[in-house]
Amino acid sequence: MSEIKTIGVLTSGGDAPGMNAAVRAVVRTGIYYGFKVLGIRKGYEGLLNGDMEEMTLRSVGDIIHRGGTILQTARSAEFNTEAGVKKAISIAKVFGIDALIVIGGDGSYRGARDLSNLGLTTMCIPGTIDNDIASTEYTIGFDTALNTVQDAIDKIRDTAYSHERCSVLEVMGRRAGYIALNVAISGGAEAAILPEKEFDIDRDIIKPIIEGRNRGKKHYLVIIAEGVGGAVEIAKYIEEKTDIKTRATILGHIQRGGSPTVYDRVMASRMGAHAVQLLKDGFRNRVVSLQNGAITDFEINEALSMKKSIDEKMVELNKILAL
Ligand code: F6P
């Protein structure tokens, strides 16, 4: 096995709060162990363009508290082709990159797997607000996004209370309902509509609202996961069926930004350091993961074959607490 001297690091896919803390951990742990670390700008796109520079201890100073990613990110169409992956391998050779650390979501993991299949050592760190990577219980950015959504819910609740209204809130999560389910519980929602569960608007939204009203409720919150969508239409339907004034809010990209929470900073620091430690210890092509509170790792193909399901107990809990 060839010796690793130079590590490239990039952030890919949607940005997530805590990515900077992960980059910082990779750079500082890397330098601590004697590696040369190259920071690649704009994800795989930057790798294809050779857009990179050597990182120093100071180049990651004053970033741990910052949202977004100082390395910037992109979704590269060219890299998603066989020719693109081959080109990325050849550019990595030009710059002497022996191993690549990718911080991103499962699309970014698949890119790393393709590179590893062609012989470039890769390590992945889970970074996405969606928490939808099967091989890990936690992805960097999730906690910050939840807190951002919760802050918005608390504000919307003030208005819903004052006007005795129903609020329908659409939250991000791509095809997964982890953000939606968690904020439904933390925000005290009457209903949470998740892509993982088939849904009937009368049974799952209208009925709990009317039953709540019969028990004396005066304002209501319905959380819709982006993977289901249709918040505006759902709000209209609720108003028509119940005569309760209903407004829809689609939170959008506000959920992706902001200073990372302590949890995200610590998790990103631990995961970033773990990826470098794996390289130092001679491991290749692995993904960093949180399992039962411990940082661990899996082989990349094994990780990509895993499935993640929604926590049914939490789905049930939300229904009980909405009573
Ligand atoms: O993966 C993070 C995420 O914010 C998803 O929740 C959302 O579906 C998607 O990215 C939006 O992507 P873009 O910022 O490219 O519109």
Side-chain angles (χ1 to χ4, degrees):
M1 201 158 41
S2 59
E3 201 198 337
I4 306 282
K5 290 190 184 124
T6 301
I7 301 171
V9 58
L10 60 81
T11 50
S12 167
D15 66 334
M19 278 184 164
N20 283 327
V23 170
R24 173 179 177 270
V26 166
V27 171
R28 293 215 170 143
T29 313
I31 292 173
Y32 174 79
Y33 285 131
F35 296 112
K36 177 177 168 182
V37 186
L38 298 178
I40 302 164
R41 278 179 287 267
K42 298 187 187 163
Y44 292 118
E45 190 77 40
L47 177 57
L48 290 172
N49 294 330
D51 187 2
M52 60 189 85
E53 67 181 45
E54 185 168 352
M55 306 293 276
T56 66
L57 293 173
R58 290 315 323 143
S59 53
V60 290
D62 209 26
I63 67 165
I64 195 166
H65 63 294
R66 283 172 59 185
T69 158
I70 60 154
L71 290 178
Q72 300 188 285
T73 181
R75 304 191 201 268
S76 168
E78 186 186 358
F79 180 73
N80 275 332
T81 63
E82 215 184 307
V85 178
K86 280 189 184 145
K87 185 173 163 194
I89 294 278
S90 71
I91 299 290
K93 274 204 187 101
V94 168
F95 284 86
I97 295 173
D98 305 306
L100 181 67
I101 297 183
V102 173
I103 306 165
D106 56 1
S108 312
Y109 276 34
R110 282 192 291 276
R113 187 258 330 266
D114 294 347
L115 290 169
S116 70
N117 283 344
L118 293 186
L120 179 65
T121 293
T122 56
M123 293 287 170
C124 296
I125 298 172
T128 163
I129 63 164
D130 302 334
N131 202 26
D132 61 348
I133 300 181
S135 55
T136 181
E137 287 165 6
Y138 190 77
T139 62
I140 296 162
F142 183 55
D143 185 59
T144 306
L146 292 181
N147 280 283
T148 301
V149 178
Q150 187 54 53
D151 182 55
I153 288 176
D154 292 345
K155 289 180 170 126
I156 285 169
R157 182 183 274 274
D158 289 345
T159 300
Y161 170 84
S162 303
H163 291 259
E164 297 196 347
R165 279 183 185 166
C166 174
S167 300
V168 176
L169 186 68
E170 187 173 312
V171 299
M172 277 186 167
R174 217 162 32 135
R175 287 181 292 278
Y178 302 105
I179 294 180
L181 180 57
N182 278 272
V183 299
I185 291 175
S186 68
E190 271 57 49
I193 307 303
L194 315 172
E196 292 87 351
K197 310 289 298 177
E198 61 73 46
F199 110 97
D200 177 273
I201 190 162
D202 289 327
R203 181 196 63 202
D204 299 323
I205 299 182
I206 303 297
K207 194 159 173 264
I209 289 178
I210 293 177
E211 285 176 348
R213 180 168 62 188
N214 292 344
R215 285 193 300 272
K217 282 197 182 187
K218 297 227 181 308
H219 60 95
Y220 314 85
L221 174 66
V222 174
I223 301 288
I224 310 287
E226 171 189 28
V228 176
V232 174
E233 292 75 21
I234 290 172
K236 229 174 129 212
Y237 188 82
I238 294 171
E239 191 164 309
E240 277 164 16
K241 277 259 167 161
T242 64
D243 282 329
I244 298 165
K245 276 254 171 309
T246 304
R247 296 285 186 269
T249 305
I250 300 171
L251 266 192
H253 286 85
I254 194 170
Q255 295 161 97
R256 284 247 292 272
S259 181
T261 57
V262 169
Y263 190 77
D264 271 322
R265 294 181 201 196
V266 173
M267 200 52 75
S269 301
R270 294 171 70 196
M271 287 181 164
H274 189 82
V276 176
Q277 185 74 49
L278 286 170
L279 287 173
K280 180 181 172 281
D281 293 344
F283 291 96
R284 302 286 184 264
N285 309 327
R286 300 194 71 80
V287 305
V288 178
S289 159
L290 183 78
Q291 297 293 332
N292 301 317
I295 304 288
T296 179
D297 48 87
F298 295 99
E299 193 278 323
I300 191 161
N301 287 295
E302 186 192 353
L304 282 168
S305 70
M306 293 176 178
K307 298 265 174 292
K308 193 171 190 171
S309 52
I310 202 89
D311 187 335
E312 294 294 340
K313 282 194 178 147
M314 279 178 69
V315 174
E316 267 322 293
L317 176 66
N318 185 53
K319 286 189 184 149
I320 294 167
L321 298 183
L323 285 176

